[in-house]
């Protein structure tokens, strides 16, 4: 076996590296590797945003440990069968031979291999077998997306049983938080000032940092609302507008009505998403799109709609289909327009050419949302952007606005039926248990009658742009027609320019508002931005205002001039994109 090739890995191996980084490790990878080699810990948790290059980092660690004879076998544990093959292919390119076809029934592998690639479920079904394998060799265990180790207590117990004897354990995740309080194996928890134990990573590289480094793409969220009408199980007909203030139950039922394939909402959104994809493909010829569906029935229906819209049959990926992995690989290597999938493409699967997404599922946990958006953020060259179409649901829009937040997995939280994370986590667990059962439950709950779509706004960097309008309108076309290659700063500039134009452009001479009204408007805008920034950073509003005053000068807000307030607005907008 040769490990020399690992020293020459490109930053995002096995896919294309981000602009300006080929031929060397990215800064975060080099720093994390240096920290690991200096400390030589038995356990190491690396948290890196999807698309940052966790595979590269892990393979480099594996190569170094093999070269130094600290370990002589590698075991990779991944969430899905497809990811086992992906890991084996990646490792093979640097001379590390993993067997992704290892089965518990056989219990061994050919001496041609340096180790195996397993799934968490496979380990949980026979932990003592894997413990024996681990004890027989000096083993490095790479736990990919380690948060899956807390999916249920039996899985966690099995992982501890199987890999407690490992010489080294390297845990990786792009989304370290969970909505439940099941402890994640081999992760250290430290109590905060409130006494709540939170996961402590050994190295963290967040989305905000990766965006500033040009490692990931900026994400434009295209939000769509509209009118919905449905019939409840009791026979009552209800209607509401998605995107307007509603009770939680009304939001959920309106949301499900929007996703019904027989209504107009999803069809209109798919048309808009395909227009956006066409615009992106003018600059990125192989750009692809992904629709994430709630269940198999809807996935097939969405595929039929896309076929009608585009004239091209999309790739359909269903998790219980034996050919799913092959279809994902074929799509990743081709130039087809659309793939439709149920959940399994929401995490870990790398299709770097995905640039446009449609979030057509009613799963709303922050974990699942972050995983789903993570499919679109991998950057291959400078200036690529991602566009994700979402229903105007407050929970989703909040997740989108907080995309750069760094979260930890917290234990000791009281479980509350009023906590939406708990409710959605239960729904997700139920849905993942049996997708077909999910189909039946949806049919029993209510009947969607009709729906229509309305373009609400674009959400970028926690700011909203655009005014509500109908699909196909000139204003919607303006946003769908944004260039496919733009730097984050250029995206913000273009969006703000179009927002100003939509509101009527510069104020004409003779129509200037009274000075007190203009000053009040800028103060209101500043307070809104401070509120959003305070929510993102956890800092009190007063502290943010004080920081702005120190950065820009001038008196307190209540005596600041229009120009001084405007300067603070420009400053805090720069802070939002990391230019502080």
């Amino acid at each position: 076996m040769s490990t020399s090739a690992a020293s020459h890995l490109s930053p995002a191996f096995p896919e294309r590296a981000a602009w300006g980084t080929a031929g060397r490790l990215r800064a975060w990878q080099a720093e994390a590797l240096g920290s690991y080699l200096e400390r030589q810990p038995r356990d190491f948790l690396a948290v890196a945003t999807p698309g940052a290059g966790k595979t590269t980092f892990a393979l480099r660690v594996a190569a170094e440990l093999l070269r130094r004879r600290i370990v002589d076998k590698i075991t990779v544990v991944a969430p899905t069968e497809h990811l086992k093959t992906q890991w084996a292919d990646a490792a093979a390119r640097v001379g590390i031979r993993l067997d992704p076809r290892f089965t518990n029934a056989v219990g061994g592998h050919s001496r041609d291999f340096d180790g195996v690639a397993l799934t968490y479920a496979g380990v949980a079904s026979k932990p003592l077998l894997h413990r024996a394998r681990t004890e027989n060799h000096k083993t490095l265990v790479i736990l990919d997306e380690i948060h899956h180790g807390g999916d249920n207590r039996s899985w966690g117990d099995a992982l501890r049983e199987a890999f407690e004897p490992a010489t080294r354990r390297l845990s990786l995740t792009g989304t370290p938080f969970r909505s439940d309080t099941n402890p994640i194996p081999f992760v250290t928890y430290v109590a905060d000032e409130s006494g709540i134990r939170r996961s402590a990573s050994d190295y963290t590289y967040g989305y905000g940092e990766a965006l500033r480094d040009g490692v990931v793409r900026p994400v434009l969220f295209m939000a769509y609302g509209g009118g919905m009408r449905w019939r409840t199980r009791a026979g009552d007909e209800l209607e509401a507008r998605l995107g307007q203030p509603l009770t939680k139950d009304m939001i959920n039922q309106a949301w499900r009505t929007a996703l019904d394939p027989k209504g107009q909402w999803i069809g209109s959104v798919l048309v808009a998403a395909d227009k956006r994809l066409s615009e992106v493909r003018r600059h990125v010829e192989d750009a692809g799109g992904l629709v994430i569906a709630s269940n198999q029935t809807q996935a097939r229906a969405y595929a039929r709609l896309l076929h009608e819209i585009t004239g091209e049959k999309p790739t359909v990926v269903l998790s219980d289909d034996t050919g799913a992995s092959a279809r994902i690989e074929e799509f990743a290597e081709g130039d087809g327009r659309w793939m439709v999938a149920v959940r399994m493409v929401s995490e870990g699967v790398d299709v770097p050419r995905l640039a446009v997404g449609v979030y057509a599922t009613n799963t709303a946990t922050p974990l699942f949302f972050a995983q789903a958006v993570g499919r679109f953020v991998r950057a291959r060259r400078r200036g690529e952007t991602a566009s994700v179409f979402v229903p105007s649901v407050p929970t989703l829009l909040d997740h989108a606005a907080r995309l750069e937040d760094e979260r930890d997995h917290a234990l000791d939280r009281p479980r509350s039926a009023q906590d939406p994370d708990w409710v959605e986590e239960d729904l997700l667990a139920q849905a993942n248990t049996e997708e077909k059962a999910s189909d039946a439950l949806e049919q029993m709950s209510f009947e969607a009658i009709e729906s229509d779509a309305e373009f609400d706004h674009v959400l970028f960097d926690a700011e909203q742009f655009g005014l509500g309008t109908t699909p196909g309108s000139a204003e919607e076309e303006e946003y769908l027609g944004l260039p496919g290659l733009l730097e984050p700063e250029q995206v913000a500039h273009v969006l703000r320019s179009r927002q100003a134009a939509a509101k009527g452009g510069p104020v004409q001479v003779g129509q200037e508002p009274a000075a007190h009204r203009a000053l009040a408007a800028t103060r209101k805008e500043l307070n809104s931005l401070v509120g959003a920034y305070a929510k993102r950073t956890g800092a009190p509003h007063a502290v943010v205002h004080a920081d702005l005053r120190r950065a820009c000068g001038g008196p307190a807000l209540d005596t600041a001039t229009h120009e001084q307030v405007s300067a603070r607005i420009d400053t805090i907008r720069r802070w939002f994109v990391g230019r502080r």
Side-chain angles (χ1 to χ4, degrees):
M1 185 210 71
S2 169
T3 60
S4 61
S7 64
H8 302 293
L9 287 173
S10 70
F13 177 85
E15 306 297 348
R16 291 179 58 185
W19 176 87
T21 61
R24 63 180 186 276
L25 288 178
R26 289 172 176 156
W28 85 262
Q29 293 165 333
E31 186 176 44
L33 178 65
S35 174
Y36 184 91
L37 295 177
E38 178 182 355
R39 294 169 49 201
Q40 295 288 334
R42 187 181 183 199
D43 283 293
F44 192 91
L45 172 61
V47 177
T49 189
K54 292 187 292 294
T55 302
T56 298
F57 166 69
L59 289 174
R60 185 62 178 272
V61 169
E64 288 290 337
L65 295 182
L66 287 167
R67 184 179 65 82
R68 300 180 186 198
R69 301 187 185 280
I70 295 172
V71 302
D72 52 36
K73 291 293 179 183
I74 307 294
T75 295
V76 174
V77 188
T80 67
E81 290 290 330
H82 179 78
L83 287 174
K84 288 193 328 182
T85 303
Q86 190 167 286
W87 268 97
D89 289 343
R93 295 188 182 104
V94 295
I96 299 175
R97 297 162 296 193
L98 299 178
D99 182 5
R101 294 185 174 86
F102 174 94
T103 64
N104 289 344
V106 175
H109 60 76
S110 165
R111 288 194 295 179
D112 290 340
F113 295 102
D114 304 303
V116 299
L118 313 168
T119 64
Y120 285 96
V123 174
S125 67
K126 214 163 185 179
L128 291 179
L129 166 67
H130 299 289
R131 182 183 182 92
R133 290 185 54 260
T134 305
E135 288 176 330
N136 289 338
H137 299 278
K138 295 185 295 183
T139 304
L140 165 66
V141 179
I142 298 174
L143 297 155
D144 188 24
E145 304 297 353
I146 181 59
H147 54 269
H148 284 283
D151 278 352
N152 59 58
R153 292 192 182 278
S154 64
W155 277 29
D157 291 342
L159 288 174
R160 294 183 186 92
E161 180 74 33
F163 301 125
E164 187 278 330
T167 303
R168 294 287 176 89
R169 291 179 292 258
L170 174 60
S171 299
L172 309 171
T173 182
T175 47
F177 52 91
R178 296 180 54 85
S179 298
D180 60 31
T181 57
N182 289 337
I184 301 171
F186 313 123
V187 169
T188 300
Y189 291 88
V190 178
D192 64 13
E193 62 277 5
S194 302
I196 295 176
R197 290 171 293 165
R198 297 184 181 277
S199 59
S201 64
D202 295 284
Y203 192 90
T204 299
Y205 185 63
Y207 175 79
E209 295 172 279
L211 184 63
R212 290 190 289 274
D213 293 343
V215 170
V216 295
R217 300 166 176 155
V219 183
L220 295 161
F221 291 96
M222 309 286 191
Y224 281 74
M228 310 293 152
R229 190 159 65 93
W230 66 93
R231 184 178 292 110
T232 68
R233 187 165 42 190
D236 299 325
E237 285 194 12
L238 301 177
E239 59 181 282
R241 296 198 67 79
L242 196 65
Q244 293 186 351
L246 299 169
T247 65
K248 181 180 176 181
D249 287 342
M250 290 286 282
I251 288 173
N252 288 337
Q253 293 180 66
W255 184 0
R256 289 168 63 181
T257 301
L259 299 181
D260 187 271
K262 298 187 293 293
Q264 293 183 357
W265 189 92
I266 188 64
S268 297
V269 171
L270 291 176
V271 168
D274 190 64
K275 288 180 180 177
R276 177 66 186 144
L277 181 60
S278 293
E279 181 61 38
V280 173
R281 284 169 75 102
R282 291 177 54 193
H283 305 279
V284 185
E285 293 181 355
D286 68 339
L290 169 65
V291 179
I292 300 177
S294 293
N295 55 61
Q296 295 184 10
T297 301
Q298 290 189 345
R300 294 188 180 98
Y302 296 159
R304 288 192 292 271
L305 289 172
L306 282 169
H307 188 197
E308 294 173 4
I309 293 166
T310 67
E312 176 185 312
K313 282 190 175 182
T315 297
V316 180
V317 178
L318 305 176
S319 57
D320 62 356
D321 192 330
T322 56
S325 291
R327 276 195 288 278
I328 293 173
E329 291 176 2
E330 183 180 355
F331 183 83
E333 295 169 2
D335 61 358
R337 293 179 72 87
W338 284 99
M339 177 163 61
V340 183
V342 181
R343 295 188 180 92
M344 70 172 295
V345 184
S346 67
E347 178 184 55
V349 175
D350 286 324
V351 184
R353 68 186 190 88
L354 288 176
V356 177
V358 179
Y359 194 86
T361 173
N362 55 6
T363 302
T365 63
L367 174 62
F368 185 87
F369 186 84
Q371 292 167 352
V373 174
R375 298 314 96 215
F376 306 96
V377 301
R378 183 187 292 277
R380 299 181 299 172
R381 57 172 162 161
R382 196 78 179 184
E384 287 185 336
T385 61
S387 303
V388 179
F389 289 70
V390 297
S392 286
V393 174
T395 303
L396 296 183
L397 297 178
D398 182 61
H399 294 340
R402 300 173 62 194
L403 191 61
E404 296 185 31
D405 285 5
E406 293 179 6
R407 310 188 193 190
D408 298 313
H409 178 217
L411 301 180
D412 310 311
R413 288 186 300 138
R415 179 166 182 143
S416 168
Q418 302 304 314
D419 185 339
D421 282 356
W422 285 118
V423 175
E424 297 296 345
E425 187 73 18
D426 290 341
L427 291 175
L428 177 58
Q430 175 182 312
N432 279 334
T433 300
E434 180 61 58
E435 289 169 5
K436 293 177 182 176
S438 175
D439 294 1
L441 285 170
E442 288 195 9
Q443 292 170 4
M444 291 172 57
S445 300
F446 80 112
E447 176 190 357
I449 298 175
E450 64 178 358
S451 63
D452 60 70
E454 179 180 279
F455 171 71
D456 272 356
H457 61 269
V458 174
L459 182 67
F460 177 71
D461 197 31
E463 290 188 62
Q464 293 185 6
F465 303 90
L467 304 171
T469 185
T470 56
S473 67
E475 183 175 0
E476 184 201 40
E477 295 289 339
E478 282 284 304
Y479 290 102
L480 296 179
L482 287 169
L485 286 175
L486 286 176
E487 294 289 331
E489 295 83 359
Q490 293 173 320
V491 174
H493 175 74
V494 170
L495 287 172
R496 290 184 186 122
S497 298
R498 293 190 176 183
Q499 183 84 335
K503 291 181 177 180
V507 179
Q508 300 298 317
V509 177
Q511 295 181 326
E512 185 174 335
H516 70 92
R517 294 185 185 276
L519 181 55
T522 53
R523 284 177 178 169
K524 182 178 180 180
E525 182 178 3
L526 177 60
N527 282 325
S528 176
L529 290 170
V530 166
Y533 192 78
K535 184 176 181 181
R536 170 182 292 192
T537 61
H541 290 213
V543 172
V544 180
H545 275 296
D547 288 347
L548 283 169
R549 187 177 174 186
R550 279 193 292 272
C552 302
L557 180 59
D558 56 0
T559 56
T561 65
H562 176 80
E563 289 75 15
Q564 289 168 332
V565 178
S566 296
R568 295 178 195 183
I569 289 172
D570 291 339
T571 298
I572 197 170
R573 280 176 172 163
R574 290 196 298 273
W575 291 358
F576 268 110
V577 295
R579 294 188 297 159
R580 183 160 182 169

